[in-house]
């Protein structure tokens, strides 16, 4: 059997709670006659009498009681689902894949715990997302401001590149000059030559190139060479001991990480919450 009309089910459910057509009509915003007509049509369709019509109101028949209980529960579940959907507000955050995997994702559980009503969608790709066409609300970008007209940039953290490797590999590195005998794991920033120049290493070591910083970091964890990584992106690996810094030297660059958002965002309250949380992680 196909489902009865939703309006008829709604009218019967309300009438069954109030045991009164007038009160049911006031609740669902129709006339008393419309409720009575819906109920009569439903009775005809089901082939059973749902109410006993009394001089001073209504009384559910045995069939009416059996039908009303699960129907009332079904409408309650629909209402709860609609409320839950309305309470969850979506926010799209654009980041690079490396920033997402090495910095954002390990911390994101804290955000969802603090703000369960905000549904975060992480847009992680190398190509810069567009705030208008891609529906992005807020982004974390590495570079130099300004990032575009109509955008506001706020510093998240400065860029300090450090040499990192696995503990096993670090045993053979006694001085920065020992990098000449190692495989250097290079990413798209290509900053190893500048690091070596500032450290006074004249040799040209072997290079293994990766399209993403996160891949170079993972290769360093696997003991395949020495990576030059932004310090905040390897903080978890350094804290856990999976990576170590064999040398104190570092390289400062002007490619800092910035929180970027439109000057007039679509959801200013959500953007403010995410901006505040990002800054609180530093």
């Amino acid at each position: 059997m196909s489902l009865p009309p939703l309006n008829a089910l709604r009218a019967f459910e309300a009438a069954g709670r109030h045991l009164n057509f007038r009160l049911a009509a006031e609740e669902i915003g129709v006339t008393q006659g419309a409720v009575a007509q819906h109920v009569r049509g439903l009775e005809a369709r089901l082939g059973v009498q749902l109410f006993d019509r009394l001089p001073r109101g209504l009384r559910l028949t045995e069939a009416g009681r059996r039908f009303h209980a699960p129907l009332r529960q079904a409408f309650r579940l629909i209402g709860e689902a609609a409320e839950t959907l309305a309470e969850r507000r979506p926010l799209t955050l654009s980041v690079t894949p490396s920033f997402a995997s090495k910095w954002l994702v390990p911390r994101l559980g804290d955000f969802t715990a603090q703000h369960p009503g905000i549904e975060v969608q992480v847009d992680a790709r190398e190509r810069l997302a567009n705030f208008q066409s891609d529906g992005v609300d807020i982004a974390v970008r590495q570079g130099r401001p300004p990032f575009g007209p109509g955008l506001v940039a706020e510093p998240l953290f400065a860029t300090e590149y450090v040499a990192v490797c696995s503990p096993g590999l670090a045993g053979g590195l006694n001085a920065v000059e020992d990098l000449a005998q190692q495989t250097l794991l290079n990413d798209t920033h290509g900053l190893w030559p500048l690091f070596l120049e500032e450290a006074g290493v004249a040799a040209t070591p072997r290079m293994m190139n990766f399209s993403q910083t996160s891949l170079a970091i993972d290769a360093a964890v696997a003991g395949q060479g020495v990576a030059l990584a932004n310090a905040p992106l390897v903080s978890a690996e350094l804290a856990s001991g999976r990576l170590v810094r064999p040398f104190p030297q570092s390289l400062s660059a002007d490619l800092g990480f910035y929180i970027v958002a439109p000057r007039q965002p679509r959801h200013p309250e959500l953007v403010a919450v995410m901006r505040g949380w990002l800054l609180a992680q530093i």
Side-chain angles (χ1 to χ4, degrees):
M1 176 186 293
S2 60
L3 287 176
L6 183 60
N7 287 339
L9 294 174
R10 188 181 177 202
F12 166 68
E13 192 278 329
R17 278 188 287 107
H18 294 291
L19 295 179
N20 186 291
F21 285 156
R22 179 181 60 81
L23 295 178
E26 292 176 358
E27 176 183 318
I28 64 178
V30 298
T31 65
Q32 180 176 339
V35 172
Q37 183 176 353
H38 279 312
V39 171
R40 285 196 300 270
L42 187 59
E43 289 176 323
R45 183 184 181 92
L46 298 176
V48 295
Q49 184 175 336
L50 300 172
F51 289 110
D52 289 326
R53 277 72 168 173
L54 305 175
R56 293 183 178 275
L58 302 170
R59 180 176 61 199
L60 285 165
T61 64
E62 178 61 28
R65 284 193 295 272
R66 293 200 310 271
F67 188 46
H68 187 267
L71 191 62
R72 182 174 183 179
Q73 182 180 11
F75 274 104
R76 179 180 59 80
L77 291 174
I78 293 172
E80 290 176 354
E83 289 178 4
T84 301
L85 187 62
E87 290 172 357
R88 297 192 66 80
R89 299 171 294 170
L91 173 76
T92 299
L93 171 63
S94 172
V95 295
T96 64
S98 294
F99 183 87
S101 63
K102 296 303 179 184
W103 192 91
L104 177 65
V105 171
R107 295 169 169 81
L108 202 54
D110 176 73
F111 180 87
T112 57
Q114 291 187 40
H115 307 283
I118 300 178
E119 187 174 290
V120 180
Q121 177 172 332
V122 178
D123 184 345
R125 47 181 154 172
E126 292 293 348
R127 181 182 68 82
L128 292 182
N130 185 283
F131 282 93
Q132 282 73 38
S133 60
D134 295 330
V136 172
D137 296 294
I138 188 169
V140 175
R141 294 280 184 264
Q142 184 178 10
R144 307 175 185 89
F147 291 91
L151 299 178
V152 178
E154 185 171 3
L156 181 60
F157 48 73
T159 304
E160 180 192 15
Y161 285 90
V162 296
V164 293
C165 63
S166 65
L169 195 62
L173 297 174
N174 300 312
V176 70
E177 290 78 13
D178 293 336
L179 286 173
Q181 285 74 48
Q182 298 297 323
T183 298
L184 304 187
L185 309 172
N186 200 28
D187 62 16
T188 53
H189 294 106
L191 293 175
W192 263 123
L194 183 58
F195 180 92
L196 295 173
E197 180 183 349
E198 290 195 1
V201 180
T204 304
R206 296 184 304 273
M207 292 280 184
M208 186 183 298
N209 297 298
F210 296 88
S211 62
Q212 295 180 9
T213 302
S214 60
L215 298 178
I217 295 172
D218 290 342
V221 172
Q224 295 177 14
V226 183
L228 187 62
N230 191 281
L233 299 191
V234 291
S235 59
E237 284 80 4
L238 291 172
S240 67
R242 290 185 296 164
L243 288 178
V244 296
R245 287 184 61 180
F247 318 113
Q249 287 90 341
S250 65
L251 174 67
S252 295
D254 58 354
L255 299 173
F257 283 84
Y258 291 82
I259 303 170
V260 183
R263 195 174 300 277
Q264 296 181 325
R266 287 183 295 269
H267 307 107
E269 70 286 353
L270 300 184
V271 169
V273 170
M274 177 57 76
R275 179 187 286 114
W277 178 81
L278 286 168
L279 292 171
Q281 302 307 302
I282 305 305

